[in-house]
Structures are given as structure tokens and as C-alpha cells.
Amino acid sequence: MKLLDFSASLIDPQAIKDAGYDGVIGYFSNSRPGANFGAKPLRRDYCDRLRALGLEIVSNYQYGKDATSDWLAGFDGGVRHAEIALKYHTEAGGPGDRPIYAPVDSNPSLEEWNSQIAPFLRGWASVIGLERTGMYGNARCIDWALQDGVASWFWQHDWSGDPSINGDHPAAHIHQIEIDKRTVGGVGVDVNVTLEDDYGQWSAATGASSARGHPLGVDLVPYREQMNRLWNDADNTKQLIVEHTTESESGNTSVIDYLERTGNGSYQTMIDFDGEEVRMVPDNKQAWAAMEQGNRRGLHVCAMGRAEWTRDRWQQEGKLLERTAMRYAEWSRLYGIPLVKISAADAANGMRGIVGHIDITAAFHESDHWDPGDNFPYDLVIARAFEINNGTTISEAIMSLADEELGKRFGSRSKYRANDDLVDTLAGFVLDIDARTHEEHVEREALKGIGWAVDLVKREAARGDAGAQAVLAEIEGAK
């Protein structure tokens, strides 16, 4: 498929289709100072017109250029620009699981990559998730991004300084093959070819995402953002994932409007009964969720519901629990937080894992909150998060590991062994089967006067083994 990217002015969608192109890579960014690009950002009405004609849309971002390139601002710049990109993408109707390509519109050195670009992409991923983080860059940058694990989607350009590496990169989803050589509808365009069936197009949205393409809750309401600076600018340590409840059943919009109106709290994210997730606070800021210690240590997720609910009542909210598992899974992938429920004492001692606000209260004694109560089904949510990240259930993973371990071979532990050949199994170790069976066999043969067996018994008797000495005495007494 062939896609156009352009920024100078909007092009009539019918002209794009008539020219034989399949869609556009749209800019969801502002024009930089001194410029007035008519196609930045794309808006909902234009995107609707594209889709009405069956044209594909891919989301892209670029604000600065050359001396003002977006990536020069490192991690903080990645956060700031991703927040803008996500806002425009969502307002235009962009699905909640589709990537947004971040700009590396140059031919950087490795030092620039390590000191500025990789941090920029990490900042970007902290806002939209690593599984949605795309990168526009040359083949060399794609290699570096794969090595560092900072992007999941790749739009290749050929500004590499080395034509020999400008062929289609095996990890690229899109390749920009022509720049500023033609016009469509009177507007200068660049031409791109797609290299994968799924290259980030909106039409391939499923309503949910995962690191490994695991099919998730396709009927969940899409993710959106409503960020209004209800946070402390300091970063949190990401020691913990902290679960909360709203103590209300009025829905995300109502609860967030109340929080914004009163300034009475915030969370990294809120999850409603229909599976809608609303991000309130960037991952690299401190939410106003659980007093000083909890805010400093945790990433906070708030579920629509009440601390007094029973386990059975929670299990009626399958979409909410599914989206919560997706959030746990993503934070675990991004920040290495273990998918394990820990105690208040563990949290106070610096252990990493998942807790409730009730555990923060018990650990640090800064409030009396007890949400999400004693019956929140952490086990179900954590098991689902594990499945999302690993493509297998916890039980299947344990059985696979057990099968692998039980199949391993070890040296015999029989005192009469002649060498260290791998003849025993883990089950044998546990039950001591190999040692006992081999020793009994050697001793029976020795009592029959079989030479090799007698020699082994004599060897162990000389080493002081009481059992071998008893067998040897019986052999000699029979002479």
C-alpha cells in the first residue's frame, strides 16, 4: 500500500484517492514558531472525510526541526510532546490502541541517541505506553531502538548518510521512499510504502492493546485523557502499583469533574464499569492519591466501585477488571514492577509490587483510607495481567517450568557411581530413587561375588562408609 504524508495544507481526500494512494500519515502536532502548516494538526472533520472514502490514517507527530528537533529535550520533551500528540490524536477520533510515531527526523550520532533520543522515546512511552510508541527514524536508529527497547513501531526514512543501509529494514512497518518530488491536489507530498499488514493504521484498532498482540476486550470503551495538572511535578519512584476505589458509581466523567472542580485528588488513571480508562496524571508525576509516602512511591489506578463490595460483586465488573489488568500489565512491562500482591509491611520496607490504598494506610499511617477494601480480586487481575504480558496463564507457565525441570538430568548420587554421567532426574533427587536403586544393585552383585561390584564395595568401605563395611564383612564371612 502507498501512503502520503504532508503538512503544508490539507488535500481533498477525493484527490488522494483519485491519485491512487491508500491513505495518509497525518500530523497530530502544532505548527512550530514561524510556520503555519495547514495540515497540522489534523482535525476530526478531516479525518472523518478520509475514512468515509476508505482511506487509511496513521498518526504521526513533529513539532520542531533541525536546531529545534523535538528529541533534543530528552525525557521531559518526550513526555510533553507525547501528551500533545495524544490529545490531538484522541480529539480527531484516533483509537486508543493505535501507535503514534515520534520524530527522529535526522541522522544522529550514537552519543546523541544515548543522551537525548533514547530518553526522549522513554518519556514518550511513559505517556502512551511502549506498545503504542512508534519512531520515525533511519535504519541505524531502528537498530538502536530495538537494542534499547524504546519503541515498538518503526517508520523508516533514508537520511542515514549511508545508502547501503537504506533498503527496507526488517523491523520497519512503513518506509518513506520519496520526499518532495510530486504534488497531489496542488500540495507537496512525500510517498511511503507499507511493509506489514498492520503498520499502525486506525482501521486495525481492536479497542485494546498488549505487548504481544494478545486479543483483549474488544468491546471495551476506548482509552482517553483528561489531564488538568492535578499533580506534583516531582517524579514518583514507581515502587508500587496502588489500587483505589472511587466510593462512587457515578462514572468517570462525573468523578473527574468533581476532582477538577474541588482539586481534591487525582490518580494516574481511572477505570469505569464499561472499561473506559481515563488518564489524569502522567506516569512521571506524583498524583494526589495517597498522601506523601503513597504519592511518592506509587502509580495509582482508581476503579469505579466501593471498598465495601464483596468479591462476588467485583467479579460482576468484567470490563473494569480487564482494563485494570491491562494497566497492571503495561506498568509492569514499562517499569519492571512485579505482578505480585505485597503486604503493607513489604511496602514500608521498600519491596516492589501491587498494593491497595488500605496497605499504604497501614504502612505509613498518614490517613484512614481503606479502599479498595478486603475483597478486591487482586489474584484474578494479576493472573490476567500475567497472561497479557506472557501469552500464557500462570498455571501453564508453572507446568511448563515444572516439565522442563523434571526433564533435566543430573549425575548419580549413588556412593558406588563410577563416573559423573547424567543419569538421575529431579524426581529421582527428591525421592532418592537412583541412589538407593543403584546401591542395592551393587551390593546384591557383590554378595554374589561379582568382581566389579566387590571392588566398588571395597572402595567405599575403605572410605569409611558403614553400609559398605557391613556388606564387605558379610562377603568375607562367607568365605
Side-chain angles (χ1 to χ4, degrees), residues 34 53 67 80 185 189 210 215 222 278 292 360 366 377 379 386 393 405:
L53 290 176
R80 182 173 67 255
V189 297
S210 76
V278 181
E292 180 182 355
I360 296 295
E366 294 180 321
D379 58 328
F386 182 93
T393 66
E405 289 299 314

Side-chain angles (χ1 to χ4, degrees), residues 244-245 259 265-270 280-281 287-289 300-302:
H244 299 259
T245 47
L259 294 175
S266 63
Y267 309 90
Q268 257 74 28
T269 194
M270 296 190 62
M280 291 186 68
V281 177
W288 301 341
H300 298 266
V301 53
C302 187

Side-chain angles (χ1 to χ4, degrees), residues 165-186:
I165 68 171
N166 287 346
D168 295 343
H169 191 286
H173 297 81
I174 307 170
H175 193 170
Q176 188 178 61
I177 59 171
E178 182 183 290
I179 298 176
D180 294 336
K181 291 185 178 179
R182 69 182 70 194
T183 64
V184 173

Side-chain angles (χ1 to χ4, degrees), residues 240-357:
L240 305 167
I241 295 172
V242 185
E243 186 67 51
H244 299 259
T245 47
T246 58
E247 299 308 300
S248 166
E249 300 173 44
S250 59
N252 275 341
T253 299
S254 176
V255 173
I256 294 172
D257 285 349
Y258 167 78
L259 294 175
E260 291 179 343
R261 186 172 66 253
T262 62
N264 198 34
S266 63
Y267 309 90
Q268 257 74 28
T269 194
M270 296 190 62
I271 298 176
D272 210 338
F273 297 130
D274 58 5
E276 179 192 55
E277 179 178 11
V278 181
R279 292 303 304 273
M280 291 186 68
V281 177
D283 289 355
N284 66 328
K285 305 297 181 185
Q286 292 182 13
W288 301 341
M291 308 301 288
E292 180 182 355
Q293 289 291 337
N295 296 344
R296 183 173 65 83
R297 296 169 183 255
L299 293 165
H300 298 266
V301 53
C302 187
M304 195 64 55
R306 300 183 184 275
E308 65 187 20
W309 280 3
T310 64
R311 180 180 175 88
D312 287 343
R313 177 65 185 85
W314 277 113
Q315 288 185 261
Q316 295 174 28
E317 302 301 336
K319 293 181 181 180
L320 180 151
L321 297 179
E322 174 78 347
R323 182 70 80 176
T324 302
M326 292 165 62
R327 175 49 48 203
Y328 285 14
E330 181 172 289
W331 278 341
S332 178
R333 292 195 305 272
L334 285 175
Y335 308 117
I337 302 172
L339 290 171
V340 60
K341 175 66 173 68
I342 64 174
S343 69
D346 292 334
N349 289 329
M351 185 179 292
R352 306 186 78 205
I354 298 168
V355 297
H357 196 169

